Amino acid sequence: MFKRVLLLFLIVFSCAGFAFSQQITRFAVVDMPRVYNAFFRESRAVREYEERHARVLSDIQRYTQEIQALRGRHAEAVLQDNQSEALRLESQITRRTEFLREFHQIRIAELEEQRNRLMQSSSYWTQLQEEIRFFAESEGYSMVLNLKDNPSIIWYSHTVDITDKLIQSMQSRSRN
């Protein structure tokens, strides 16, 4: 009986030791564009991007308001039974709407390309990757994934999002 209890104890102990000897893999996610905007906002290149982005949004808003004004005039022409004016305004609305759609597509693509170039600059990536490596090693993470550029992340718990901690760490290290 004693031998059986001892054998059972040894088996349980060795299984527990094996289970605890396995390293637990810890994952984290980082919202890279948010880190970039928070930490590198003061750089000239980012300020230029932000100004261009604001101009594009302003232009889109202005064109949208022009189309809305044309729609209002079109509705008035229809109510007044002015067919020729209604057709002319409808044609203008169609042309301007198509222009706005193309303008929006092109400008947003250009902004996205500019933002990607900013984020891929060597000085930014070198500093960011070094900071992520330091932070991940000090916090015990085995893997850090880019949240925005990883389509395989279907769901994640916000407890694994280290974006804010990474930004704080980068800001405190840059002050030193």
Side-chain angles (χ1 to χ4, degrees):
M1 178 74 171
F2 179 71
K3 288 182 182 181
R4 285 186 185 175
V5 171
L6 183 60
L7 182 61
L8 182 62
F9 179 75
L10 287 174
I11 291 173
V12 169
F13 184 76
S14 64
C15 288
F18 178 75
F20 287 112
S21 70
Q22 298 296 317
Q23 180 181 1
I24 296 175
T25 303
R26 291 185 60 201
F27 289 87
V29 294
V30 174
D31 185 346
M32 298 294 263
R34 210 169 104 216
V35 172
Y36 185 84
N37 287 336
F39 192 69
F40 294 96
R41 183 172 299 281
E42 299 305 316
S43 74
R44 184 178 56 82
V46 173
R47 282 194 314 268
E48 288 173 0
Y49 167 79
E50 293 294 329
E51 290 169 2
R52 184 174 182 197
H53 186 262
R55 281 192 312 269
V56 167
L57 291 180
S58 174
D59 289 345
I60 289 171
Q61 183 178 15
R62 183 171 40 90
Y63 293 139
T64 301
Q65 289 171 347
E66 288 176 9
I67 292 170
Q68 289 172 345
L70 286 172
R71 285 185 178 145
R73 289 177 43 203
H74 177 265
E76 288 175 17
V78 168
L79 286 175
Q80 294 174 357
D81 201 29
N82 188 345
Q83 296 292 343
S84 62
E85 182 67 10
L87 286 173
R88 186 183 71 76
L89 289 169
E90 190 174 322
S91 174
Q92 268 189 330
I93 291 169
T94 302
R95 283 194 318 269
R96 294 217 179 159
T97 302
E98 181 63 26
F99 169 78
L100 176 59
R101 187 186 66 73
E102 289 176 16
F103 178 84
H104 181 270
Q105 245 179 355
I106 291 168
R107 293 297 190 249
I108 296 300
E110 289 172 352
L111 285 170
E112 189 69 25
E113 182 181 325
Q114 183 181 5
R115 185 179 67 84
N116 288 340
R117 277 195 317 266
L118 284 172
M119 288 184 63
Q120 293 174 355
S121 69
S122 63
S123 63
Y124 167 71
W125 275 111
T126 302
Q127 186 176 3
L128 182 59
Q129 287 186 340
E130 183 62 27
E131 188 64 34
I132 289 173
R133 184 192 61 75
F134 173 79
F135 187 80
E137 287 176 356
S138 65
E139 295 291 320
Y141 291 103
S142 303
M143 183 178 293
V144 178
L145 302 170
N146 183 353
L147 182 61
K148 296 299 180 188
D149 292 340
N150 195 337
S152 2
I153 298 176
I154 298 170
W155 179 88
Y156 69 97
S157 169
H158 291 286
T159 59
V160 299
D161 187 346
I162 61 169
T163 304
D164 292 329
K165 292 177 185 176
L166 182 63
I167 291 170
Q168 290 171 355
S169 175
M170 290 178 76
Q171 288 173 338
S172 67
R173 285 174 53 122
S174 70
R175 289 183 196 127
N176 295 336

